[in-house]
Amino acid sequence: MDARYKTGDIERRSLDVDGLKRSFLEWLVYSVGKDARAATRRDWFHTVALAVRDRLVDRWMDTTRSYYQEDAKRVYYMSLEFLIGRLLTNSLSNLGIMEQCREALDRIGLTLDEVVEAEPDAALGNGGLGRLAACFLDSMASQGLPGYGYGIRYEFGLFEQRFEHGWQVEYPEQWLQFGNPWEFPRPEVLYPVQFYGRVEEFRDSVGERAYRWVDTERVLAMAYDTPVVGYGGNTINTLRLWSARATRDFNFGHFNDGAYMKAVEQKVLSENLSRVLYPNDATETGKELRFKQEYFFTSASLQDIIRRYLQHHSDFDSLPSKAAIQLNDTHPAIGIAEMMRLLVDQHAVLWDKAWEITRGCFSYTNHTLLPEALEAWPVRMVERVLPRHMQIIYEINARFLNRSKARAAGDNGRLSRLSLIDERGERRVRMGNLAFLGSHKVNGVSALHTDLMKQTVFADFHGEFPDRINNKTNGITPRRWLHQANPALSALITSRIGQGWIADLGQIASIKEKADDVVFREEFRRAKRKNKKRLAAYIARQTGVEVSVDSMFDVQVKRMHEYKRQLLNVLHTIVLYNDMRDNPTVTWVPVTKIFAGKAAPAYHMAKLIIKLINDVAKVVNHDPAVHDMLKVVYLPNYNVTAAEIIIPAADLSEQISTAGMEASGTGNMKLALNGALTIGTLDGANVEIKEAVGDDNIFIFGLSAEEANSLRQGGAYNPRDVIAMNPSLKRALDMISTGVFSPDDPHRFHPILQALTDGGDHFLVTADFEDYCLAQKDAADLYRNQEEWTRKAIINTASMGWFSSDRTINEYAEEIWDVHPVLPTTQGEGFR
C-alpha cells in the first residue's frame, strides 16, 4: 500500500466495508449537511458519490502525474456528445468495490439500488455517436492509454422526451438541477473564444503578410473535469467539458438606468452556447447557434492542448508526436482551420509547417454516408461568424485544388467534388471535406461502411489519398454493457470461466461449448427471464401497459430516423395484428413489440412515425381479440439507464436499416452480447456480426447495399406495384389511410403514405417488407423451441468478443494514434 494511504485520513480512501460505512456517514453530515434520519435518497446519492470520488482522486492525480513525467503522447477525443450514463455503478464496478458498497449501505439501512436510482443520466448525448465516445473513454482508461475527452457541459442536454396524446413533446432535461458530485469545476482554466469582428492585414517584423482578427465578441470557456475510471482503478483519465461564461456578467450602467433585462443580456447570450445539445437548426438563428457551439468547444480544447504542450516544449515541431486529436464526426471539423489560425496567427508558424503539424495531429472518424448528415455550413454565415477561419479555408482549398489540377486532367467535375466549397446553389463549406483533407487518417466504423466511403462520399478523395482511409469497426465496453447492465448473466458467465472476460472480452468465446449443455441453457434462460421481469415492471411503471414475460420481447431501441425503418417494424405489427384477429384458433407465438428513441425536434416525419406507433399501440393493447398475444409499447425518454434495463431483456434485436445507410451501429452489438438474436439487413456492423455468429444464428433479410443502390438508380422501382402485389401490406396501409388508428383525424398519417408511394419510398420499406415478414415468421417459429432458441442465444453472446471497444481502441492506438499505455507512477491498492 502507498504510504499516503497509511496517514490519519485513511478512512477517506479505505475500500473495505467498515471504512466505506464510516465515510458515508461522515460525508452525509459534514458535506451534505444532513442527519441520517432526515436524509433523502438524493442526499444519500450525493453522499455515496462524494465518498467514492475520494477514492478516485489520488489515483487520478497519479495517472496525470505519470503522463507529465513520461511526456507521453496523449489522445484528445473531441466529440459534441458523450452519453456517459450514471457514473456511480460504473465507478464502483471498475474500482471493484460494488459488493463492499452494497454491504456498507445495508448496514446503514439502505439499498444500493435505491441510492443508484437517485442519480440522473448526464444529458450529454443523443444516440450511438455519444455512447460510442463514452465506451471509448472507458476503454482508453482500462487499457492504460493517456486519453482526454473534450466536449460541452450542456446545462440541459438534448431534451426530456414525453408523450402527450401519443405525440413527442420536448421538455428541458434538468440533469444538473441538484448539482453533479462527479465533476470538478476549474474556474482557473478559462480560454477566450471569439466570434464575428473583422480581419486586418499587416506586415510582421520581417515584412511578411500577416493577419489579426479584431473587433470580436468574446466569451469564456470554463473547464469542468470528470474522472474516467478504468477497469481495475489504476488508470483514471479525464473528461473535460466546457461551459460558456460571459466576459462581463452584469452591466451596472444599464441596471441603474432601469434596463434590468439588458443588464444581464450579455451573460444570457454568452451562456446559451452551453445551454442545450443540438438546438433546433430549422431556423437561421438555430443554425448559427449550433455552428458557434461547435467552434466554442473546439477552440477551447485546442487552446488547452497547446497550453499543455508548451509547458514542456519550446516549438511546435513535436506536437504531432505528443498530441493525437480525434474528430468524432464533422462537428469539431472547424478545428482544422482553428489549429491553423492558432499556429499561424498567434504563434507565427509558417503556413506549410503549420499545415504539416495540423495534419499530423488530426484524424477523423466518419459516421454517416447520408449527404444531409455531412455538415455543410453556408459560406455567408461562416464569413460573418468566423471571418478569419473563412479566409483560412479558402487558402487551404486553393492550395489543395492547385495541386490536384494535374491529377484531375481538366475534369472540372472532379475538382468541384474535391472542393471544400460547394458552389451549387447557396455556397456552403463542406465540413466532411475539410475534416478529410486536414487529417492524416480517416476511418469508417464498419467494414461495409468503410468500403462504401471509398466508393461514394469520399471516392474522389480516396483517389487523391489512397492510403488515408482505413476501417475501425466500432465496439462496446463489456464493463457497462454486460458486467454492470446484466448482473444475472454476468454472474453465470463468471461462474463458468472466471472474471477475466471483463477485461478481455475475447475470453467469452469459451462459453460457446456450453450451448449444448442442458443445465447451462436452463440457467441462461433463467437469467433472461429475470431481466424480462425487470423490464416488464419498468414498462408497467412507465406506460401502464402489462406485458407477458412469456412473450417474445421484440426490441427496436435507437434514434428515430426514417433510414432506421421503425416504420417497417410498425407495419409488420399491423399485419401481425390482422393475422391474429383473422385466425383466432391458431396458436400464435406471443409477441411484445418494444420501441424507444427520440426524434430531433424539427424532424416532423420521425415525430409522425412515433405518433403512428403510439396510435397503433393504443388500438392493439385495448383489443381483447389479441389479449396477451400482442402488445406494443413505446418507452419515453430513452437513455443509457433505460438501455441497461431494456437490452438485457431483449429476445429479438431489430437492426433493420436500409442497407448502405447505417455506418455501423453499436446497439446491435449490445443486444447480441446480452443474448438477443438479430433480425437485420446486411448493413453496418450487421455484416460482421453475421460472420461472427454464423448464418444459422441470425435472421438476415432484404436487399444488400449494392442491390438497394441498383434498384434506386434503375428507375423501374414502383412502390405502388409492390404494394398492390402484397395484400397484407396494402390492407395495413389502407387501415392507416382510413383512420382505423386515428379516428379523430383520418388524414393524420397522409405524409407517411405519400412518402411510401408518390415519394418513391426512398428508404425501400415496401421493397423489403415481404422478406422482413418472412424473417419475422422464422424468428417466431424458432422461439417456439426454447431449447434451440437458447442455444443460438448463447452462441451470439459467445461470439461477441471481437466487438469489444477495447479491441477497437487498441487498433486506433496502434494504427492511427501511435499511442502507448502508461502505468501510473504511484498506484493505489487496486482491487483488494
Side-chain angles (χ1 to χ4, degrees), residues 436-458:
F436 192 110
L437 188 60
S439 298
H440 68 282
K441 290 293 182 182
V442 176
N443 70 279
V445 289
S446 73
L448 175 63
H449 170 234
T450 301
D451 287 343
L452 290 174
M453 278 174 60
K454 296 176 181 179
Q455 299 168 27
T456 57
V457 291
F458 292 126

Side-chain angles (χ1 to χ4, degrees), residues 571-583 588 626 630 728 731-733 735 740-741:
L571 287 174
H572 169 260
T573 303
I574 297 171
V575 168
L576 183 60
Y577 171 63
N578 288 333
D579 288 344
M580 286 180 172
R581 284 174 53 86
D582 292 345
N583 301 279
W588 295 96
V626 294
L630 180 62
S728 295
R731 181 183 176 189
L733 294 173
M735 291 171 70
V740 170
F741 304 106

Side-chain angles (χ1 to χ4, degrees), residues 147-192:
Y148 282 72
Y150 277 120
I152 296 178
R153 180 183 180 265
Y154 302 104
E155 183 178 346
F156 294 110
L158 185 65
F159 59 84
E160 179 187 347
Q161 180 195 52
R162 301 181 197 171
F163 296 136
E164 295 182 7
H165 306 292
W167 292 101
Q168 171 180 295
V169 180
E170 300 90 26
Y171 287 84
E173 185 89 74
Q174 296 181 325
W175 73 287
L176 288 172
Q177 183 178 8
F178 299 103
N180 178 9
W182 299 109
E183 67 185 8
F184 289 79
R186 306 295 192 197
E188 75 283 4
V189 182
L190 285 171
Y191 295 102

Side-chain angles (χ1 to χ4, degrees), residues 779-792:
D781 288 344
L782 180 64
Y783 195 76
R784 295 177 191 276
N785 185 342
Q786 278 292 291
E787 290 293 339
E788 185 62 14
W789 180 279
T790 306
R791 192 182 72 82
K792 292 176 182 291

Side-chain angles (χ1 to χ4, degrees), residues 363-383:
S363 47
Y364 159 52
T365 300
N366 172 271
H367 284 280
T368 183
L369 302 173
L370 300 178
E372 67 271 19
L374 284 170
E375 290 182 311
W377 297 110
V379 166
R380 57 178 172 74
M381 186 180 78
V382 180
E383 286 177 331

Side-chain angles (χ1 to χ4, degrees), residues 552 572 576 589 591 652 677-679 695-702 770-785 788-789 792:
M552 180 171 69
H572 169 260
L576 183 60
V589 171
V591 176
L652 190 65
L677 272 59
T678 302
I679 180 169
D695 293 358
D696 293 336
N697 302 302
I698 191 170
F699 303 102
I700 294 295
F701 73 93
E770 184 174 2
D771 206 14
Y772 175 60
C773 289
L774 291 173
Q776 281 279 0
K777 183 178 184 303
D778 289 342
D781 288 344
L782 180 64
Y783 195 76
R784 295 177 191 276
N785 185 342
E788 185 62 14
W789 180 279
K792 292 176 182 291

